Amino acid sequence: MYVVKSPFADADLKTVAEALQSALVDLVDLSLVAKQIHWNVVGPRFRSIHLQLDEVVASARTHSDTVAERASALGVPPDGRAATVASGSGVKTTPAGWIKDTDAVGTMVDALGAVITRMRERVAATGDPDPVSQDIFIGITADLEKHHWMFQAENA
């Protein structure tokens, strides 16, 4: 059933829909991973990392909403359910329990790196069929790369 019909050809819509859906999953998971670490980080740099993690959570949530609304605008129902996120995310599972500040930073560097790599693939995939979605992915990538840089600098 189509509630909203996209103007794209079926093949183009499939490419863009897959890119948007996988981006949504990665961004939702990134926000969950950052919040999990936020609650469990310990160590001498607790406060600064704790606050920095909330910045990632806010960015990931904002971007996930942008991506989901773009999907909806194209007639693709976004799926951010827990099972969908758990089965489709490119982010590794976060360790349970307390996490030392240096390990927390390392985990975030890895998580951001994984999402950035996949986001750049989406930038490439959507250039021809939908420059508007590509532009969204470019903006998200730039923002995530800034967070990535800042976390890398934490453990330099």
Side-chain angles (χ1 to χ4, degrees):
M1 170 177 84
Y2 284 107
V3 174
V4 177
K5 177 70 174 121
S6 168
F8 294 138
D10 288 344
D12 289 346
L13 182 59
K14 182 178 187 300
T15 298
V16 175
E18 288 172 358
L20 289 166
Q21 179 57 42
S22 65
L24 175 62
V25 164
D26 281 353
L27 290 164
V28 169
D29 201 19
L30 181 62
S31 73
L32 294 171
V33 164
K35 196 50 120 169
Q36 179 66 24
I37 296 169
H38 166 89
W39 293 323
N40 289 286
V41 65
V42 294
R45 296 180 299 157
F46 161 79
R47 182 160 173 73
S48 64
I49 293 169
H50 182 78
L51 296 173
Q52 189 177 0
L53 287 161
D54 265 344
E55 293 173 7
V56 174
V57 171
S59 288
R61 287 178 178 168
T62 297
H63 294 316
S64 65
D65 193 52
T66 300
V67 166
E69 288 180 357
R70 177 67 182 157
S72 293
L74 297 178
V76 177
D79 187 353
R81 296 173 298 162
T84 304
V85 171
S87 68
S89 177
V91 180
K92 291 181 185 173
T93 304
T94 305
W98 304 119
I99 184 166
K100 185 162 174 34
D101 53 4
T102 54
D103 295 337
V105 168
T107 300
M108 285 307 301
V109 167
D110 291 346
L112 285 160
V115 175
I116 290 165
T117 297
R118 289 168 50 112
M119 205 60 71
R120 286 187 164 277
E121 292 168 0
R122 296 174 189 115
V123 168
T126 55
D128 288 333
D130 184 18
V132 174
S133 292
Q134 181 190 48
D135 186 56
I136 291 169
F137 293 139
I138 290 169
I140 292 169
T141 303
D143 187 47
L144 295 180
E145 286 176 343
K146 183 177 178 182
H147 288 297
H148 192 237
W149 156 56
M150 291 183 174
F151 273 104
Q152 288 179 81
E154 288 277 343
N155 276 352

